Amino acid sequence: MTRIEPSPSPIIAIPPPTLLQEIRTSKLRPFGPVLSGIDKQTRPGQLYVSTIGLEDDEHDLTFHGGIDKAIHQYCLDHYSFWADRFPSPEVRARFVPGGFGENLVADGWDERTVCIGDWVRIGTPGSLRTGGSNGCLLEVSLPRQPCFKLNQRFGIKNFAPLTHQEAKTGWYYRVVEEGWIQEGMEIRVVRRRHPRWSIERLHHYVHRDKTDLAVTQHLMAMEVLGDECRDVFIDRWRTHQEKEAAAKRPPETWRKFRVASHSAETPRIVRLELKAVRPSAPSSPPRAILPGSHALLKLPTGLRRAYSIVQGHMDRFTLGVALDESSRGGSSYIHQSLKPGDMVSVADITQGLPIDKMASHHIFIAGGIGITALLAMIKRLKDTNQDYHLHYAVRTATDVAFKPLLAELEPHITIYDKSQGQRLDMTEILQHRIWNSHVYVCGPQRMIDAVVQTATAVDMAPSEVHYELFQGDTTGDPFTVEVISPDRKAEELQVGAEKSLLEVVRDAGFEIGSSCEVGNCGACRVRVRCGRVQHRGTALTESEQRSEMLACVSRGIGHIVVEVGE
């Protein structure tokens, strides 16, 4: 790997010593719908600092605590900044010391003056001794990455991302030398290893500038940087390498999988387990699949269909495929002809429905086979101690799919059996939602439409509603398209009523990528030079629709001109 050195930045002066004004700890307690240690209380007198933090301080280890997050410090001066930013009396009153769940309260130091790798001594003024009654020695390990709990804490939606933007999150320490500390002790930087890497500068490259490869390489090699943050840069570099490799390959790369098992999950759903013919090397374990992802399959018949991934990793995963009553050959082939040992091809696996990390509560609404798109998402929330509830509508009890996985998610599940007269009441669910809830829906189009309409009626913001189609409508009025490509002469094509733009452009030999092919992922987006478009699918924002369209489901009106292959 060729090393690139980042551009130099100014050396940051060591801040003068400050005084420890408060020490705070807490037990895990109910905090809204979850357990949290954010509600820390002052602890007078001496407290012992061990390698896992302060005595009697409990951490939710899903997001906080551990060697790299033993102690959290926050700048006292920031509270007046936030109080001025949110001046309503009710909110302003919440911005008091301890509000960010910090262990150490002190003023004078902030994210501009504290650097990664700083050795910080807490002890009696005028002495540099540490250990035992002399105090402790800490090392700055990470910027804090506030989660949705801060939104709940201050009653401000999306407050946590604002703390990133302003670089006012505080920072974590790991413990170099254990010892006793108490309020009134001196806090002093006794060693600075990375004088150009303040917490504020690090925030910039974690959250804003994600394209500087020199910085990415530099930080992924910085051993003193805690794993949570260093992994961000390692993943970023890996993604860059994968994109470079992909750019050198043909637009579509298919990977061979064998059908490991094929069984009836319900009378209408087949459970399909696929195993890679060439698995990952032992030295490089298979990557995890992001919750809410789908795989584009090419069947032995040549048909291409996208299906949601229920569980698994890149070398072996499970799909649920419902027999579509109006099947165009995909689901009927899988149900009736595909068998264990058969080969299928799989294109890139793509996330279509991500989890909103700033929500305090997550409402899932599934209809029939739509459950397959949501199960991995809900499992991730359960594993990270977040709050959720699943509302699952089926025709009869025999249509409930993946019962063992659902059992793991209890008791936060309600199943509605239509044959028993049980109905899912959208208004009741959304009108009485927990504050800062987000809703995710996957099912028939009429269900998605009902959720979107109801959410609007009960004053949910569009950004709080997430949905995924599992069947895209590609048909419509015929139109003509002029296709412009850097590799060949422009060509005018006819798109028939039963054909998609994606199919016609591909059949003409133009290179165009795709993944879900139902309008969820955006992999097939093309630039529109001129003409009117009937937009379908969920992958493009309103502003993006002004200049782009989804080739898999959207259609031109009359005549359009598009660019492909760039």
Side-chain angles (χ1 to χ4, degrees):
M1 180 174 68
T2 303
R3 293 287 301 171
I4 313 170
E5 290 301 319
S7 302
S9 64
I11 290 177
I12 299 160
I14 292 176
T18 185
L19 291 180
L20 177 58
Q21 298 190 22
E22 291 180 359
I23 305 173
R24 290 177 168 266
T25 66
S26 69
K27 299 290 187 181
L28 288 175
R29 299 186 181 91
F31 181 72
V34 297
L35 286 175
S36 174
I38 197 171
D39 189 21
K40 300 193 184 299
Q41 305 300 311
T42 55
R43 292 288 303 275
Q46 286 193 328
L47 271 79
Y48 193 72
V49 178
S50 72
T51 54
I52 59 172
L54 285 158
E55 60 179 285
D56 296 327
D57 192 40
E58 292 184 346
H59 301 146
D60 172 7
L61 294 176
T62 307
F63 297 108
H64 308 286
I67 299 298
D68 286 342
K69 301 179 181 180
I71 304 281
H72 176 226
Q73 182 170 337
Y74 196 69
C75 177
L76 180 62
D77 302 327
H78 290 345
Y79 285 108
S80 59
F81 171 87
W82 294 121
D84 292 341
R85 187 75 173 265
F86 298 96
S88 83
E90 182 181 3
V91 175
R92 186 183 181 93
R94 301 184 185 124
F95 289 113
V96 294
F100 273 69
E102 66 268 30
N103 299 114
L104 308 181
V105 178
D107 58 13
W109 290 15
D110 60 23
E111 292 78 1
R112 295 171 299 170
T113 57
V114 172
C115 291
I116 287 294
D118 280 356
W119 277 18
V120 174
R121 173 190 173 273
I122 303 179
T124 54
S127 170
L128 294 181
R129 298 179 62 186
T130 53
S133 60
N134 294 310
C136 67
L137 183 63
L138 310 176
E139 183 175 56
V140 178
S141 54
L142 286 166
R144 184 181 174 184
Q145 304 295 333
C147 64
F148 69 95
K149 295 176 187 176
L150 274 192
N151 305 335
Q152 193 84 10
R153 176 75 159 181
F154 296 107
I156 304 169
K157 291 182 180 180
N158 292 317
F159 177 63
L162 186 58
T163 68
H164 299 156
Q165 294 167 20
E166 298 289 349
K168 295 185 184 324
T169 62
W171 55 92
Y172 282 114
Y173 294 108
R174 63 174 65 92
V175 178
V176 178
E177 188 173 358
E178 300 180 351
W180 294 89
I181 64 172
Q182 66 182 57
E183 57 191 23
M185 279 187 162
E186 180 186 73
I187 307 179
R188 175 189 291 270
V189 175
V190 295
R191 178 185 177 189
R192 174 153 286 180
R193 298 173 61 185
H194 298 284
R196 302 182 191 274
W197 282 102
S198 66
I199 297 294
E200 181 182 60
R201 187 182 180 208
L202 194 58
H203 268 302
H204 174 77
Y205 287 106
V206 171
H207 298 288
R208 290 185 287 282
D209 186 348
K210 302 179 181 181
T211 61
D212 192 317
L213 297 179
V215 166
T216 297
Q217 285 184 295
H218 182 77
L219 291 173
M220 62 188 272
M222 188 183 286
E223 293 184 1
V224 73
L225 186 60
D227 287 345
E228 178 186 77
C229 199
R230 194 148 57 101
D231 286 348
V232 169
F233 298 102
I234 291 172
D235 289 343
R236 192 173 293 170
W237 180 255
R238 183 182 295 123
T239 299
H240 162 72
Q241 289 182 308
E242 290 172 353
K243 285 182 178 179
E244 276 199 334
K248 298 174 184 177
R249 296 194 304 260
E252 282 190 318
T253 301
W254 296 87
R255 190 179 177 203
K256 291 291 185 182
F257 279 73
R258 194 180 307 278
V259 177
S261 67
H262 180 288
S263 58
E265 181 66 29
T266 74
R268 296 181 58 251
I269 297 175
V270 158
R271 178 191 181 104
L272 194 64
E273 188 171 359
L274 302 180
K275 183 178 181 181
V277 173
R278 294 184 177 178
S280 304
S283 60
S284 179
R287 288 189 292 123
I289 293 175
L290 295 173
S293 293
H294 50 256
L296 180 63
L297 271 58
K298 185 190 291 182
L299 301 173
T301 59
L303 287 173
R304 303 149 60 105
R305 297 290 184 266
Y307 298 104
S308 295
I309 295 174
V310 176
Q311 62 181 3
H313 51 69
M314 288 294 189
D315 281 356
R316 186 169 185 145
F317 54 85
T318 301
L319 307 174
V321 181
L323 181 59
D324 189 347
E325 294 170 352
S326 56
S327 174
R328 294 175 293 152
S331 66
S332 60
Y333 180 87
I334 289 174
H335 274 251
Q336 299 162 14
S337 302
L338 199 65
K339 61 185 183 299
D342 285 353
M343 305 286 285
V344 298
S345 298
V346 178
D348 288 340
I349 291 170
T350 308
Q351 186 181 40
L353 195 62
I355 299 169
D356 192 293
K357 296 179 180 179
M358 290 300 109
S360 302
H361 178 69
H362 304 264
I363 302 168
F364 294 89
I365 298 176
I369 191 61
I371 190 66
T372 58
L374 305 180
L375 279 171
M377 299 172 66
I378 304 172
K379 178 68 161 55
R380 174 65 60 86
L381 292 172
K382 177 181 182 295
D383 291 345
T384 53
N385 298 320
Q386 297 190 56
D387 196 49
Y388 63 87
H389 198 97
L390 167 64
H391 301 270
Y392 181 20
V394 294
R395 297 177 181 179
T396 69
T398 59
D399 286 328
V400 177
F402 300 99
K403 291 180 181 178
L405 296 180
L406 289 172
E408 296 177 15
L409 305 176
E410 291 285 6
H412 306 289
I413 297 176
T414 304
I415 296 176
Y416 303 84
D417 183 342
K418 184 179 179 181
S419 69
Q420 299 297 313
Q422 298 168 357
R423 295 284 181 174
L424 190 154
D425 189 332
M426 305 284 190
T427 302
E428 177 70 18
I429 293 169
L430 299 185
Q431 196 165 43
H432 297 96
R433 67 191 182 278
I434 295 172
W435 180 84
N436 196 27
S437 291
H438 281 234
V439 61
Y440 310 79
V441 57
C442 186
Q445 186 63 54
R446 63 182 182 278
M447 171 180 275
I448 294 173
D449 292 343
V451 170
V452 172
Q453 292 166 11
T454 305
T456 301
V458 300
D459 296 324
M460 291 189 76
S463 61
E464 296 173 337
V465 183
H466 315 270
Y467 54 92
E468 182 171 73
L469 302 168
F470 57 75
Q471 186 176 30
D473 179 14
T474 63
T475 62
D477 293 338
F479 64 98
T480 58
V481 57
E482 182 181 352
V483 183
I484 299 173
S485 168
D487 301 324
R488 55 190 282 190
K489 187 178 179 181
E491 188 172 339
E492 185 166 309
L493 305 171
Q494 300 282 334
V495 182
E498 299 299 320
K499 284 277 193 176
S500 70
L501 174 62
L502 178 64
E503 291 174 300
V504 170
V505 171
R506 275 215 183 108
D507 289 346
F510 289 93
E511 295 181 348
I512 182 169
S514 69
S515 182
C516 75
E517 299 195 1
V518 293
N520 291 323
C521 71
C524 67
R525 64 175 66 197
V526 295
R527 180 165 292 279
V528 180
R529 280 267 189 103
C530 67
R532 295 168 58 211
V533 175
Q534 180 187 22
H535 289 286
R536 298 172 179 172
T538 63
L540 297 183
T541 64
E542 287 188 17
S543 61
E544 289 172 332
Q545 288 177 358
R546 298 189 189 106
S547 59
E548 295 178 291
M549 68 183 290
L550 300 175
C552 65
V553 291
S554 297
R555 301 185 68 81
I557 300 173
H559 178 77
I560 60 173
V561 180
V562 301
E563 294 179 20
V564 302
E566 293 191 342

